[in-house]
Amino acid sequence: MRIDVITIFPGYLAPLREALLGRAISAGLVDLAVHDLRTWTRDVHQAVDDAPYGGGPGMVMRPQVWGEALDAVLALDERPARIVVPTPAGRPFTQATAQAWSGDERLLFTCGRYEGIDQRVVDDARRRDLTVDEVSIGDYVLVGGEVAVLVMVEAVVRLLPGVLGNPASAEQDSFSDGLLEGPAFTRPEVWRGLAVPDVLRSGNHAKIARWRRDRALERTAERRPDLLAALPEDALDDADRAF
Ligand SMILES: NCc1ccc(-c2ccccc2)nc1
């Protein structure tokens, strides 16, 4: 997978070259290119924003600079790219989104700042039959899209074959079966007077699986009843319902 990121703060994307993601890049599973938007400015001040038409607070990112940046970065590789625009006004980014995008050959992230990017940049790309997804990673407003890109790249790249040491952990993620993950424990058996639940040390794998499922159902019902309500009809078996 090739990943391009366009931003006025390239340094914000440095964490992508650390740890697991850094190893995926070194292993050639991911090609990452970060581009400074100011490369495509033409004025001495390298201006990337301007006052919003219609008035209002803040500034909007200029379409000319973004249009040239997108054209140039798209042309760097012939593979079709999904253009991703992080924005508080986007469709929700979920594990299902990450799963879908993990099959893409190329992702191109555009990091807005200020009050966002002139809408015509997205409109122009879409009318050229480019895939453009405006997505939100949650209902809060950041100062720019860079942090959202870190989140989305991690969620997608960890799903690529060969990235995670143990692929099973991606299958047993929270959300992969529609429920939150239950509590996890490791040694010591007792820590500050708190013992690991006996069932987890019983060696009885059926009982352990049942206990873990019950804890996941309990936690989901308590913290995310919306996820429980969204489960498909056949997702819960009789034992689940008995819980
Ligand atoms: N939903 C997460 C998210 C994504 C992007 C932004 C943002 C804020 C200001 C300017 C440009 C993007 N805020 C929140």
Side-chain angles (χ1 to χ4, degrees), residues 5-168:
V5 186
I6 306 173
T7 169
I8 57 172
F9 292 118
Y12 239 102
L13 284 302
L16 291 181
R17 297 190 188 281
E18 296 295 317
L20 184 96
L21 299 188
R23 286 198 296 278
I25 294 169
S26 312
L29 298 170
V30 174
D31 296 312
L32 173 69
V34 179
H35 311 274
D36 186 338
L37 177 68
R38 295 193 197 277
T39 306
W40 292 279
T41 57
R42 306 262 179 114
D43 61 313
V44 67
H45 300 295
Q46 296 196 305
V48 294
D49 63 315
D50 200 343
Y53 273 115
M59 303 287 270
V60 175
M61 299 193 96
R62 302 170 61 211
Q64 308 95 318
V65 185
W66 271 108
E68 291 191 25
L70 265 179
D71 291 350
V73 172
L74 282 168
L76 293 175
D77 193 302
E78 81 285 345
R79 284 174 285 185
R82 179 190 302 271
I83 298 169
V84 178
V85 183
T87 167
R91 295 174 191 275
F93 176 83
T94 65
Q95 190 63 23
T97 318
Q99 199 66 46
W101 292 3
S102 66
D104 287 347
E105 292 180 276
R106 189 181 178 196
L107 297 175
L108 193 168
F109 292 91
T110 63
C111 298
R113 289 250 137 190
Y114 314 105
E115 301 311 306
I117 302 171
D118 185 302
Q119 189 62 37
R120 289 171 293 181
V121 175
V122 167
D123 298 345
D124 173 61
R126 285 193 175 130
R127 76 178 176 182
R128 290 157 53 193
D129 277 345
L130 293 168
T131 301
V132 184
D133 291 351
E134 295 173 87
V135 289
S136 164
I137 60 165
D139 294 336
Y140 39 80
V141 183
L142 303 169
V143 180
E146 286 80 4
V147 167
V149 170
L150 293 177
V151 166
M152 293 189 278
V153 168
E154 178 161 319
V156 172
V157 169
R158 66 184 289 275
L159 297 176
L160 297 180
V163 172
L164 283 183
N166 172 6

Side-chain angles (χ1 to χ4, degrees), residues 169-221:
S169 43
E171 270 110 55
Q172 288 156 28
D173 274 347
S174 268
F175 308 106
S176 58
D177 61 358
L179 299 176
L180 299 183
E181 273 180 332
F185 302 86
T186 186
R187 287 178 294 185
E189 208 178 298
V190 180
W191 176 73
R192 293 187 179 178
L194 299 169
V196 171
D198 289 339
V199 64
L200 296 180
R201 296 174 36 254
S202 69
N204 180 329
H205 296 293
K207 276 182 70 177
I208 290 169
R210 183 67 258 161
W211 184 87
R212 283 176 166 164
R213 178 82 175 170
D214 288 348
R215 296 295 73 71
L217 288 162
E218 184 177 66
R219 180 175 277 187
T220 308

